[in-house]
Amino acid sequence: MPPVRDPAFLAAAQRAVPLVPGTVEDCCLRIVDETDAPSRDAAREYLTFLEALELVEETSRGFERRRVDVEAVDLGDAFERRVFGAHELLDALREAESLTVEEAFDELREHVPRWERDRHTDWEAEWRERTERLLNWCVTFDLAVRDGDRYRPAGLS
């Protein structure tokens, strides 16, 4: 999952993807050229994330921009439904009412699949970082609020 940006960045990255399907390489180069994404690898992460958020679509001919307005769609809904770990994290956050990154990681730990654990030399450090990014995307999409080092579900007073 890419580092957290604001919805304006996501809108710019979405606009960079052509309406006529383009190759992954073409789409990534366009994202780098039209946003401040630092590299092709970072652009590839954002392209995958845009797909998860249902802002772009992969077809048999490549990726294409979906004709949806970033401002008008519920990115939080797509995030919770389609980004691995988001649903489990939000369930844990709603149940606990408040979590630190470490507490949230402890809640997600059991959901990290074996292949993910085997993929990284220090999977726990990788997933602590991923948990923090998930929490910060939750804040970006108004699913959670940050209060110091704690996160709580949006809507709790």
Side-chain angles (χ1 to χ4, degrees):
M1 177 181 344
V4 177
R5 299 293 188 105
D6 62 20
F9 177 88
L10 296 176
Q14 181 207 26
R15 283 191 307 273
V17 176
L19 287 170
V20 175
T23 65
V24 169
E25 186 64 30
D26 178 50
C27 292
C28 290
L29 290 174
R30 290 174 63 131
I31 289 171
V32 168
D33 288 346
E34 297 181 31
T35 70
D36 64 352
S39 67
R40 186 220 172 272
D41 288 341
R44 179 64 175 115
E45 285 186 70
Y46 281 108
L47 184 61
T48 300
F49 195 58
L50 292 171
E51 182 182 20
L53 296 177
E54 300 174 327
L55 298 174
V56 303
E57 183 173 30
E58 186 173 18
T59 71
S60 61
R61 295 180 18 223
F63 283 90
E64 65 185 21
R65 177 178 0 138
R66 292 191 63 224
R67 294 177 190 260
V68 296
D69 181 3
V70 172
E71 302 296 322
V73 298
D74 186 353
L75 295 176
D77 176 63
F79 175 78
E80 185 171 0
R81 283 185 295 107
R82 297 177 43 101
V83 172
F84 184 77
H87 177 74
E88 294 81 2
L89 176 65
L90 282 161
D91 279 352
L93 191 59
R94 290 171 184 135
E95 184 176 321
E97 296 185 2
S98 174
L99 294 170
T100 64
V101 171
E102 189 63 33
E103 291 165 343
F105 169 70
D106 287 341
E107 294 292 328
L108 274 183
R109 178 188 304 269
E110 70 185 70
H111 300 285
V112 179
R114 177 98 248 144
W115 65 268
E116 249 316 287
R117 293 171 189 229
D118 293 342
R119 193 172 91 134
H120 305 284
T121 53
D122 186 356
W123 75 268
E124 289 179 331
E126 181 74 25
W127 272 83
R128 274 186 191 86
E129 183 179 319
R130 181 178 174 90
T131 299
E132 185 169 16
R133 281 181 283 166
L134 282 167
L135 286 164
N136 287 321
W137 278 115
C138 287
V139 171
T140 298
F141 297 138
D142 297 323
L143 299 169
V145 293
R146 186 173 182 177
D147 184 13
D149 68 341
R150 300 194 73 79
Y151 294 81
R152 56 186 169 80
L156 288 183
S157 28

